[in-house]
Amino acid sequence: MQVIHTISELRQALAGISQRAFVPTMGSLHDGHLALVRQGRAAVGEGGAVIASIFVNRLQFAPHEDFDRYPRTLERDAGLLAGAGCDYVFAPAEGELYPETQGYKLHPPSELSDILEGHFRPGFFIGVCTVVAKLFNIVQPSIALFGKKDYQQLMVLRRMVAQMALPIEIIAGETQRSAEGLALSSRNAYLSEAERSEALRLSQTLKTLIARWQAGERDLAKMEAEANQHLRAHGWQPDYVTLRRQHDLGVAVEGQPLVALAAAKLGATRLIDNLEA
Ligand code: PAF
């Protein structure tokens, strides 16, 4: 496996390889990322290339967020990627990807990107779409893999690829969880031991929301308010706990596939999770 830091070297290394599976990451890798790499390997076979990028993208962080303290663990990550069957790690310095202020940005439609995560993190999806589009131009993958843990991100990026007619198949990876049910996330590294066990409450709250809907309750406003209240009572600061339809994260309606989503702060750490119903 090769670790490459420049666009020109990566392009050279990939010349002549048509099947390319790409896993964009911000590093601090866990089994969720490695499962995507393995999925990519299986999809392109031995003749293809699996590329992972590691780049903490300043554009998707608000000034008060954790850009500076986001864990940067390139050596450890490279070892994990090699073990999972990755061929190339693209780890550009900030000046390589953004040699000048990135004035051209990709703005996803407001109805997809100003709700939920986008409501609480204004500009987040502009940053994500801009960097992912740029990485797609550099890597030119045939397939790209994203985890369902970032459910809205996956939806926004699928639409971007469709609307911009990019010749890339987007593949979704299932959320990987600890044995107790905690969704794996790079930000779990911020949690204390006590917070780590409390963090399980987030997915349990989503399960309860889905169970109530499946049992026939339909007063969503009440159910969501109670879920928020439940988290608050245990020391969380929830941004949202909600049941939506999977397709576009619009209002949940009978007979359509649904997903329960939540984002909440536990201490200084903001966690997100979702469960498909
Ligand atoms: O999901 C992430 O880690 C990031 O949002 C991504 C897709 C790598 C873009 O920076």
Side-chain angles (χ1 to χ4, degrees):
M1 190 190 75
Q2 253 179 283
V3 180
I4 293 178
H5 299 285
T6 67
I7 296 170
S8 61
E9 278 176 279
L10 184 71
R11 287 196 166 134
Q12 239 175 336
L14 294 177
I17 304 174
S18 60
Q19 288 303 302
R20 302 175 187 181
F22 180 39
V23 181
T25 84
M26 296 206 300
S28 185
L29 302 181
H30 50 69
D31 276 346
H33 298 110
L34 302 180
L36 295 177
V37 169
R38 285 187 212 102
Q39 243 178 297
R41 175 89 275 155
V44 295
E46 288 310 314
V50 179
I51 307 107
S53 63
I54 296 181
F55 181 70
V56 184
N57 174 38
R58 187 187 292 275
L59 286 190
Q60 69 192 72
F61 288 78
H64 65 278
E65 291 182 339
D66 54 345
F67 175 78
D68 286 326
R69 75 171 184 132
Y70 200 87
R72 287 154 173 91
T73 54
L74 179 58
E75 219 172 290
R76 173 191 164 273
D77 291 345
L80 292 172
L81 288 168
C86 182
D87 298 306
Y88 302 99
V89 180
F90 179 49
E94 200 168 12
E96 177 71 8
L97 219 53
Y98 300 134
E100 57 187 34
T101 302
Q102 183 71 29
Y104 288 86
K105 291 187 181 149
L106 223 144
H107 287 244
S110 150
E111 67 275 15
L112 301 181
S113 65
D114 289 347
I115 57 171
L116 304 175
E117 282 304 284
H119 177 76
F120 288 96
R121 303 184 67 188
F124 170 69
F125 287 114
I126 296 172
V128 168
C129 287
T130 302
V131 79
V132 170
K134 195 157 183 173
L135 289 167
F136 281 175
N137 284 332
I138 294 165
V139 175
Q140 304 202 345
S142 36
I143 69 173
L145 301 101
F146 296 90
K148 280 192 190 177
K149 157 93 181 350
D150 295 291
Y151 206 87
Q152 188 177 3
Q153 169 173 280
L154 174 64
M155 178 193 70
V156 166
L157 291 173
R158 271 193 198 286
R159 297 295 169 86
M160 177 182 88
V161 164
Q163 285 198 13
M164 302 306 282
L166 301 179
I168 302 169
E169 183 191 352
I170 299 292
I171 297 183
E174 293 302 325
T175 301
Q176 304 293 311
R177 294 180 183 276
S178 70
E180 309 79 47
L182 178 63
L184 299 190
S185 161
S186 304
R187 289 190 167 97
N188 292 349
Y190 301 148
L191 299 172
S192 68
E193 212 166 300
E195 286 172 337
R196 217 185 141 81
S197 70
E198 175 58 33
L200 297 173
R201 197 177 303 281
L202 198 60
S203 61
Q204 288 160 359
T205 306
L206 293 173
K207 269 190 201 150
T208 304
L209 191 57
I210 291 174
R212 289 177 68 173
W213 175 272
Q214 288 174 342
E217 279 191 60
R218 288 297 177 266
D219 188 346
L220 263 181
K222 176 168 177 279
M223 289 155 65
E224 292 178 355
E226 285 171 5
N228 270 279
Q229 186 43 42
H230 175 67
L231 287 176
R232 238 179 246 115
H234 288 88
W236 294 72
Q237 293 164 263
D239 282 344
Y240 58 83
V241 186
T242 185
L243 192 65
R244 300 290 172 104
R245 59 174 180 235
Q246 288 180 17
H247 167 63
D248 59 0
L249 303 184
V251 177
V253 274
E254 195 94 44
Q256 290 194 8
L258 301 181
V259 56
L261 307 108
K265 254 180 140 182
L266 182 59
T269 309
R270 187 174 184 276
L271 298 175
I272 62 171
D273 201 354
N274 66 79
L275 286 176
E276 289 178 326

